[in-house]
Amino acid sequence: MLAFSLCAAPAWARWHLDRRDFNSDFQLDKLDLKLRGVGVKTLFMMRLFVASFYLLPDTSRGQELSDVPKHLEVRFYTYIPAATFTNFTINHMRDNVSQEEFNGLRNRFKRMGELFPNIVFGDVFSLTYKPGQGTTFVHNGVASGTIEGADFAKAIFATWIGPRPIDNILKKQVLGLEKAG
């Protein structure tokens, strides 16, 4: 373990995370979304991904999952097969909405699976929700498609910032409630 830690220490030092590493805003048509927070997910001192979350500046705390514009950008440092990405997301969507809401989303899961790519080291994947239009999936700068519905946006963003997110510390970081280090 000590040998692993010593070998990993230089890599960890290179991965210092700072809000300045991310754009301070995200343009969604004529809307100027502002960086709310930056988070990092690690496993055994290895960085898996970093995420940044953007909202309109006047979006109050607790309203992040409501029908407001939002953008989540994730930079990956690992490989994730598309099927794994899809299943993981569906399971976490289920954890964050009522059974009735989840059942209402089922007809959009196949489409979501088509939009999730295989993720490799260095990929950037983002979700952007625009009210009245839907959630757009973007992989390495190329939009792959949009899924309609504020209910879908609420459920998919809840996997990151909902009551039962993939990681509570990461949730606090991307909401700007805790600094990522």
Side-chain angles (χ1 to χ4, degrees):
M1 183 68 158
L2 178 59
F4 175 78
S5 296
L6 292 175
C7 292
W12 178 82
R14 284 194 313 266
W15 292 110
H16 173 72
L17 183 62
D18 192 316
R19 287 176 67 98
R20 292 172 294 184
D21 295 335
F22 298 86
N23 292 328
S24 61
D25 58 356
F26 175 81
Q27 293 299 309
L28 178 59
D29 296 333
K30 294 181 181 179
L31 302 174
D32 188 23
L33 280 63
K34 297 295 183 188
L35 179 64
R36 182 63 60 101
V38 173
V40 61
K41 178 67 175 166
T42 59
L43 180 65
F44 302 119
M45 294 179 54
M46 295 181 351
R47 182 166 294 197
L48 300 177
F49 58 80
V50 293
S52 55
F53 186 58
Y54 299 80
L55 292 166
L56 289 171
D58 61 350
T59 304
S60 50
R61 298 267 182 227
Q63 296 302 305
E64 298 90 355
L65 292 176
S66 64
D67 193 17
V68 297
K70 55 189 127 273
H71 175 75
L72 176 78
E73 183 173 298
V74 185
R75 298 176 190 173
F76 287 92
Y77 303 101
T78 190
Y79 170 74
I80 305 172
T84 301
F85 200 178
T86 301
N87 292 332
F88 182 84
T89 302
I90 290 170
N91 288 334
H92 280 82
M93 291 168 81
R94 179 185 297 119
D95 291 344
N96 281 284
V97 297
S98 71
Q99 187 62 48
E100 182 180 337
E101 290 171 310
F102 184 77
N103 290 339
L105 300 170
R106 287 186 186 274
N107 63 343
R108 289 172 269 179
F109 291 154
K110 181 178 184 218
R111 175 75 173 132
M112 183 178 73
E114 295 166 354
L115 299 179
F116 273 132
N118 288 319
I119 295 292
V120 298
F121 186 95
D123 277 0
V124 177
F125 182 78
S126 66
L127 298 168
T128 303
Y129 174 69
K130 184 175 179 188
Q133 195 169 52
T135 303
T136 301
F137 291 58
V138 176
H139 181 228
N140 293 330
V142 178
S144 53
T146 301
I147 297 179
E148 73 285 343
D151 58 340
F152 180 83
K154 175 186 171 188
I156 198 162
F157 280 93
T159 65
W160 296 87
I161 60 170
R164 297 183 66 202
I166 58 174
D167 184 288
N168 280 310
I169 293 171
L170 180 69
K171 170 186 173 176
K172 290 176 186 174
Q173 292 171 343
V174 298
L175 288 176
L177 303 173
E178 187 173 299
K179 185 177 178 183

